[in-house]
Amino acid sequence: LCVAEKPSIAKSVANTLGGDRVSIRPSRNKFIKNYDFNFDFPQWGWCDVTFTSVAGHITQIDFPKNCSWGSCLPNKLFEADIITYTSKSATDIANNIGNEARNSDILMIWTDCDREGEYIGYEIVQAANKTNPRMTVDSAFRAHFSFLERSHISHAARNPTKLDKKAIAAVQTRTELDLR
């Protein structure tokens, strides 16, 4: 299972890796498609690949209803619990990832090569993990690419890395501080 940060990236990369042998399936979100094809990864051999996407972040954070701005003393917000939830607009997208992850052995993240991209990759892993507990931050792979040119895409597919846990933690911290 490969997941890009944007639908246009999923389409472009799937067509590059799959050539003219890509089949397309819809998801419940009208903008998100599932692209199926075969690809020969050096580390895994020939694989049945499904390439899909998110549309940016799929989760948000907030305070519990009993402790939010205006409903408790402001100093309580510095110690209040924080809840993470899937945004309403991303529910179908998260469910699509979960459905596709259910029968997948490998998860490869194709998000932008910045801290936000790492964190969106983490959100993708969390959505996949709900239906496939083998998919974790430690087991997921990360494609690094800067251009949608064939050689860059091929190199990214053949040389995956791991998600950067420090970048994920940095975005989590910044997001929490912004909320508080």
Side-chain angles (χ1 to χ4, degrees), residues 12-30:
S12 180
V13 174
N15 285 322
T16 297
L17 296 178
D20 60 354
R21 298 170 310 280
V22 177
S23 61
I24 304 168
R25 292 180 290 115
S27 76
R28 289 187 166 209
N29 181 293
K30 66 181 179 180

Side-chain angles (χ1 to χ4, degrees), residues 15-77:
N15 285 322
T16 297
L17 296 178
D20 60 354
R21 298 170 310 280
V22 177
S23 61
I24 304 168
R25 292 180 290 115
S27 76
R28 289 187 166 209
N29 181 293
K30 66 181 179 180
F31 301 108
I32 306 297
K33 307 286 188 255
N34 297 311
Y35 302 90
D36 299 315
F37 57 93
N38 293 310
F39 186 77
D40 187 11
F41 292 94
Q43 57 276 61
W44 307 300
W46 282 101
C47 295
D48 294 329
V49 177
T50 295
F51 211 119
T52 192
S53 73
V54 294
H57 288 280
I58 56 177
T59 63
Q60 296 178 346
I61 63 169
D62 205 347
F63 296 113
K65 290 182 186 204
N66 66 337
C67 190
S68 61
W69 290 104
S71 69
C72 67
L73 294 173
N75 64 329
K76 296 287 185 190
L77 298 176

Side-chain angles (χ1 to χ4, degrees), residues 58 60 85-93:
I58 56 177
Q60 296 178 346
Y85 61 95
T86 302
S87 62
K88 287 182 180 166
S89 62
T91 300
D92 287 341
I93 296 170

Side-chain angles (χ1 to χ4, degrees), residues 98-168:
N99 290 338
E100 296 302 323
R102 186 171 280 123
N103 297 314
S104 298
D105 295 318
I106 299 162
L107 176 61
M108 186 180 284
I109 307 299
W110 290 76
T111 53
D112 292 350
C113 291
D114 56 18
R115 284 183 175 181
E116 289 298 321
E118 292 296 316
Y119 192 77
I120 292 169
Y122 171 75
E123 293 175 333
I124 292 166
V125 170
Q126 297 304 312
N129 181 265
K130 288 181 179 179
T131 59
N132 188 336
R134 293 174 293 139
M135 295 197 170
T136 65
V137 170
D138 291 325
S139 69
F141 290 90
R142 174 84 157 96
H144 288 276
F145 65 105
S146 299
F147 305 101
L148 290 176
E149 190 224 33
R150 180 173 298 282
S151 64
H152 288 266
I153 298 303
S154 179
H155 184 266
R158 296 177 191 287
N159 297 284
T161 62
K162 293 294 185 176
L163 285 165
D164 182 345
K165 291 180 184 177
K166 290 181 181 179
I168 293 167

